[in-house]
Amino acid sequence: MTINNHVALDLKAANRNRIFRAIISAERITKQGLVELLGLSLPTVTQNLNELVAQGLVCENGAFRYTGGRSAKGYSIDSNSRKTIGIDINRSHLSVVVINLAGEIISSLHEHRPFIKSDEYYRHMGELVVETVRKFTISEQELLGIGISVQGLVSSDKSQVKYGPILGNTGDTVNEIAKYIPYPCELFHDADSAAFAELWVSPDTDNAVYLSLSTNLGGSVIINRRIRTGDNFFAGKVEHMTLRPGGELCYCGRRGCVEAYCNTSRLTEGISDGRLDLFFQKLESGNPRAIAQWDNYLENLTILISNLHMLLDCEVILGGYMAPFLEKHLDGIIRRVRGINCPDIPENLITLANYKNEPIAAGAALYYLDRFIHKV
Ligand SMILES: [Zn+2]
């Protein structure tokens, strides 16, 4: 094969990919719409559309009617033609989501189930996945991948937990964790998964720090729309930055880490037994203990945010399971950060996550979808 043939094939593949992604973005578009949008010839668009239809990825979807009686066929992706599964193994719950080719969650299962490193737990997780695959009749060809998010740092080849003191699974491999899942799986760090889900729904976000505010605090740094993992997987792991030297004990064994002050147990302790909804109800009804714990929590969280601002000067996204409760409190958080050392920070420096439904499980699933979409 000559170099020119290579170039021609690359160009053909690139055109097909542009057409496919344009159809995803537009949701429904005509041939002529693609010609105008992408600056391609009608024969090129027609040929690629035919191929995408033959692959089952794109389908005709009704007609656009124009004045004057002419109408043109609309094309959409066949959102059911591919699916991907994401799992969130958390110390207090287990979630499984199924996402279709359009990036929509079509099934979401959330069990309050403490993590116990045991055959029984992994067997149960395997049964949930097998049952989900059966229920949605997902064939092997349709299944793009299964991503398992864990509360721990994972190796760059996504096959092993490199650091997992929360779940006590440091060193465990994906083969052990997914022993009862009869499909290939990969491991993901939970906060990185949530940050990936956030990027999926935030096309204008280039640089940001994503804070996953949940039972445990997690962080992820996004630079040029990519998650920075660092040379030793620790980039963005703000939870183990020292906030109070010699302070409270963290699960990592050191004292005074951000995590020891900014996990949600610090809020719900003695008030709502781990339940954030109940905590915010009590806070909003003026419960003095809830007010004191919230004040203490915010004092620590806002020091972290102001430090991150000084280091990276980019958007700080507040996500995780706490995000849906923060709407009413965002202004107060911004005021506090301004009061520490940044009086002029713009309003939009601190934002709430856009992806609210199971971002950790969804992020692990969306990884496969993103990879697929870019290589069609
Ligand atoms: Zn720590």
Side-chain angles (χ1 to χ4, degrees), residues 36 39 133 171 174 199 216 306 348:
E36 285 163 19
V133 168
V174 69
L199 277 175
N216 297 97
S306 81
N348 58 1

Side-chain angles (χ1 to χ4, degrees), residues 239-240 250 252 254 257:
E239 56 270 38
H240 300 296
C250 175
C252 72
R254 290 188 292 269
C257 293

Side-chain angles (χ1 to χ4, degrees), residues 18-19 25 69 80 128 182 280 299 315:
R18 285 179 70 207
I19 290 168
S25 302
N80 275 319
L128 287 183
F280 280 98
E299 185 184 332
E315 183 184 0

Side-chain angles (χ1 to χ4, degrees), residues 5 27 59-60 94 103 130 141 149 185 189 206 227 231 244 249 298 303 337 369:
N5 276 344
E27 292 182 14
C59 56
E60 286 179 21
L94 175 64
V130 169
Q141 195 219 345
S149 287
C185 298
H189 173 61
D206 290 323
I227 291 164
D231 296 339
R244 311 242 171 218
L249 190 63
L298 281 192
I303 292 173
V337 175
L369 190 53

Side-chain angles (χ1 to χ4, degrees), residues 26 28 197 223 353:
R28 186 163 167 261
I223 295 175

Side-chain angles (χ1 to χ4, degrees), residues 133-313:
V133 168
R134 194 197 57 74
K135 189 173 163 192
F136 289 89
T137 54
I138 306 173
S139 68
E140 274 192 39
Q141 195 219 345
E142 282 171 9
L143 184 61
L144 297 176
I146 298 182
I148 304 175
S149 287
V150 292
Q151 289 185 286
L153 306 185
V154 304
S155 59
S156 53
D157 65 359
K158 304 180 182 66
S159 71
Q160 191 177 32
V161 179
K162 299 299 278 186
Y163 182 73
I166 297 176
L167 299 178
N169 61 357
T170 299
D172 287 5
T173 64
V174 69
N175 292 339
E176 293 167 275
I177 293 168
K179 189 175 167 187
Y180 293 100
I181 299 177
Y183 309 98
C185 298
E186 288 176 299
L187 300 175
F188 296 84
H189 173 61
D190 58 351
D192 289 348
S193 292
F196 194 83
E198 188 62 21
L199 277 175
W200 187 267
V201 290
S202 311
D204 298 330
T205 296
D206 290 323
N207 304 308
V209 182
Y210 181 92
L211 295 181
S212 179
L213 305 173
S214 296
T215 338
N216 297 97
L217 181 91
S220 190
V221 170
I222 297 163
I223 295 175
N224 293 330
R225 289 192 65 75
R226 295 178 74 89
I227 291 164
R228 173 98 176 96
T229 53
D231 296 339
N232 300 291
F233 319 108
F234 268 92
K237 305 305 163 265
V238 299
E239 56 270 38
H240 300 296
M241 284 165 68
T242 302
L243 190 68
R244 311 242 171 218
E248 304 226 10
L249 190 63
C250 175
Y251 65 76
C252 72
R254 290 188 292 269
R255 288 195 171 274
C257 293
V258 168
E259 157 67 26
Y261 296 89
C262 294
N263 65 62
T264 57
S265 314
R266 297 302 300 243
L267 288 176
T268 58
E269 210 169 21
I271 297 180
S272 59
D273 194 23
R275 284 187 52 185
L276 279 173
D277 54 342
L278 220 58
F279 169 80
F280 280 98
Q281 269 175 33
K282 292 200 174 177
L283 177 69
E284 279 144 31
S285 65
N287 178 301
R289 183 163 178 179
I291 292 171
Q293 286 183 196
W294 180 236
D295 188 61
N296 195 35
Y297 180 88
L298 281 192
E299 185 184 332
N300 292 307
L301 181 70
T302 51
I303 292 173
L304 170 67
I305 295 172
S306 81
N307 285 343
L308 293 172
H309 171 63
M310 284 300 162
L311 182 67
L312 294 165
D313 185 17

